[in-house]
Amino acid sequence: MTDPLDLLALDSALDTEERQIRAVVRQVVDDRVRPSVADWYERGEVPVRDLAREFGRLGLLGMHLTGYGCAGASAVAYGLACLELEAGDSGVRSLVSVQGSLAMYAIWRYGSEEQKQRWLPAMTAGEAIGCFGLTEPDHGSDPASMATRARRDGDDWVLTGGKMWITNAPVAEVAVVWARAEEGVRGFVVPMDTPGVTAREIRRKMSLRASSTGEIVLDDVRLPADARLPGAEGLKAPLSCLTEARYGIVWGALGAARDCLATTLTYATTRTQFGRPLAGFQLTQAKLADMVVELQKGQLLALHLGRLADGAGVRPDQVSVGKLNNVREALAIARQCRTILGANGVSGEYPVMRHANNLESVLTYEGTSEIHQLVVGQRLTGLSAFA
Ligand SMILES: Cc1cc2nc3c(=O)[nH]c(=O)nc-3n(C[C@H](O)[C@H](O)[C@H](O)COP(=O)(O)OP(=O)(O)OC[C@H]3O[C@@H](n4cnc5c(N)ncnc54)[C@H](O)[C@@H]3O)c2cc1C
């Protein structure tokens, strides 16, 4: 089936396996997400566990990782999956990103063999949900200033502090928690039922409502020596996990944009004012043309970064270019689509405002736009404006 929004025939740049993976994810989104997501969003509740098991069965959790039951898919295939998931809802894509690219990746890359064996097979199956605790109430863009502390007590570690805005925290079995020890930032694998750990759902979000977000309180949490991720030393470890997750966002945000544009195209060709379809007005066509140009430019950028990742490798600042551009443009597309839908644009009967609201979170998490501008600025000038 040819996608009417694929003006540049970018599909021809994908191989058969990539298209097959995309088709499978598109189908599960059509079957399991689209029929219910407006309700989940309105109620601020999402069946995380059911979705995780279903995504686990399809091999979507940690799909770009190898071993321990992970699918070992290419970066491009993973990106396409993120795009299709986010065409359903950014919250649903966040579930998969946080599980695979943050929590699982941290354990896969920096964990001991024992930690990997204990957690990764269950996480890839969706039987155990993971979260990633870096942000704190007083430290977001500047995680180097984190206040959460890890101190040695005999062989044990004791963690004290708090993490804020943590996706999946209220439903997770395990958290990867970043804390400052005497020797620097270290990562810990923390079962959520450890005494002293509490997680509370953050209510009244106006964005990403089909996603569970929480606060984690760590009150003298005693962990055995082997809870530490042995390979993770310094802030570069959590930042490398963020690069993984940001890569998924480069693709994912375009899914939300594509869904807005597809909805709007249908709406504009069927809704009549002044005796003709909205799509027949030059001003509407100018909007549609500009949006499809940005969508396809974003897709080219995502595909290029994906091919780099599957080949020579992709640098963090290159991923920043993708996150900065694609989320910014996706949000602009969602807002513009909303204007074409008029009053219906603010209704939950259409997905457009839900996507626009979700993209506000996507713009902020995994490094705000400003932080990615600073990363790119540093690459260009050799001068760090923020550290
Ligand atoms: C729904 C949701 C889910 C999230 N999930 C997770 C998660 O799973 N795990 C996790 O660890 N975190 C998570 N986060 C947190 C997210 O990563 C942070 O919100 C983000 O890093 C920004 O931090 P902040 O909100 O504290 O904003 P701040 O850092 O306070 O920034 C506020 C504003 O100031 C700007 N700013 C800050 N510093 C500079 C500077 N040097 N120069 C110019 N401008 C600057 C920012 O760009 C921003 O516009 C989530 C957030 C949301 C909204």
Side-chain angles (χ1 to χ4, degrees):
M1 188 186 69
T2 322
D3 180 350
L5 294 175
D6 188 18
L7 288 184
L8 299 178
L10 297 183
D11 260 20
S12 60
L14 303 178
D15 67 26
T16 311
E17 193 184 335
E18 289 162 349
R19 278 187 230 145
Q20 279 167 349
I21 291 174
R22 181 181 61 179
V24 168
V25 183
R26 194 175 285 187
Q27 192 63 52
V28 75
V29 168
D30 282 348
D31 294 346
R32 280 292 281 120
V33 178
R34 285 189 196 281
S36 310
V37 66
D39 257 10
W40 299 337
Y41 192 90
E42 201 166 334
R43 285 190 281 117
E45 287 168 14
V46 61
V48 175
R49 212 157 280 288
D50 294 350
L51 287 177
R53 288 207 181 99
E54 186 130 9
F55 295 156
R57 267 196 299 279
L58 290 173
L60 299 180
L61 304 176
M63 71 182 272
H64 62 309
L65 307 179
T66 49
Y68 310 95
C70 301
S74 68
V76 168
Y78 174 52
L80 289 163
C82 288
L83 190 150
E84 294 304 327
L85 289 164
E86 197 149 352
D89 191 84
S90 304
V92 173
R93 196 269 307 142
S94 299
L95 160 63
V96 171
S97 290
V98 168
Q99 179 85 347
S101 288
L102 291 179
M104 289 177 69
Y105 179 78
I107 296 171
W108 181 84
R109 167 101 189 255
Y110 298 111
S112 65
E113 192 51 38
E114 204 184 350
Q115 289 166 335
K116 293 178 194 182
Q117 294 289 355
R118 173 163 180 207
W119 291 108
L120 293 181
M123 291 172 86
T124 196
E127 298 296 333
I129 308 236
C131 64
F132 183 91
L134 181 63
T135 305
E136 301 184 351
D138 295 330
H139 307 281
S141 301
D142 178 19
S145 306
M146 69 175 68
T148 299
R149 290 286 177 263
R151 68 177 164 81
R152 294 305 297 245
D153 186 23
D155 281 348
D156 292 347
W157 287 96
V158 179
L159 264 53
T160 312
K163 298 291 172 180
M164 191 70 179
W165 293 108
I166 308 305
T167 302
N168 290 345
V171 290
E173 271 77 33
V174 62
V176 171
V177 172
W178 301 94
R180 185 167 291 285
E182 223 170 68
E183 47 278 60
V185 171
R186 295 291 182 267
F188 297 87
V189 181
V190 183
M192 293 298 278
D193 59 2
T194 311
V197 179
T198 46
R200 178 184 71 82
E201 183 84 38
I202 296 175
R203 302 270 169 211
R204 299 192 181 164
K205 277 182 304 175
M206 306 302 279
S207 168
L208 226 70
R209 291 179 55 76
S211 172
S212 173
T213 317
E215 176 183 12
I216 301 177
V217 176
L218 302 153
D219 185 10
D220 279 340
V221 176
R222 184 170 289 274
L223 298 167
D226 62 7
R228 189 172 82 75
L229 291 170
E233 291 192 358
L235 199 60
K236 63 183 188 309
L239 294 185
S240 73
C241 303
L242 291 177
T243 299
E244 290 291 301
R246 287 165 182 166
Y247 168 77
I249 293 173
V250 171
W251 288 85
L254 300 174
R258 189 196 67 196
D259 197 51
C260 289
L261 202 40
T263 303
T264 302
L265 203 50
T266 304
Y267 188 89
T269 46
T270 48
R271 166 94 176 164
T272 302
Q273 290 291 292
F274 299 99
R276 69 166 94 157
L278 298 178
F281 296 117
Q282 290 183 0
L283 289 176
T284 309
Q285 288 193 9
K287 290 179 182 180
L288 293 170
D290 285 350
M291 289 192 285
V292 85
V293 166
E294 288 308 326
L295 178 71
Q296 295 250 279
K297 279 158 67 181
Q299 285 170 326
L300 273 170
L301 174 53
L303 187 59
H304 174 65
L305 294 177
R307 296 284 183 232
L308 283 182
D310 284 328
V314 64
R315 291 194 316 261
D317 58 282
Q318 293 171 325
V319 175
S320 284
V321 170
K323 204 242 174 196
L324 175 61
N325 182 76
N326 286 8
V327 181
R328 196 162 59 184
E329 295 306 328
L331 183 54
I333 288 171
R335 287 173 176 160
Q336 187 70 286
C337 284
R338 203 219 57 74
T339 67
I340 297 178
L341 265 70
N344 282 325
V346 307
S347 165
E349 298 297 324
Y350 293 86
V352 174
M353 193 140 172
R354 174 169 52 79
H355 285 309
N357 285 355
N358 282 338
L359 287 167
E360 295 288 349
S361 284
V362 181
L363 193 74
T364 288
Y365 70 22
E366 313 279 355
T368 64
S369 284
E370 292 80 4
I371 292 301
H372 290 294
Q373 286 175 316
L374 294 176
V375 170
V376 174
Q378 182 178 13
R379 178 78 195 180
L380 286 175
T381 64
L383 301 169
S384 167
F386 61 112

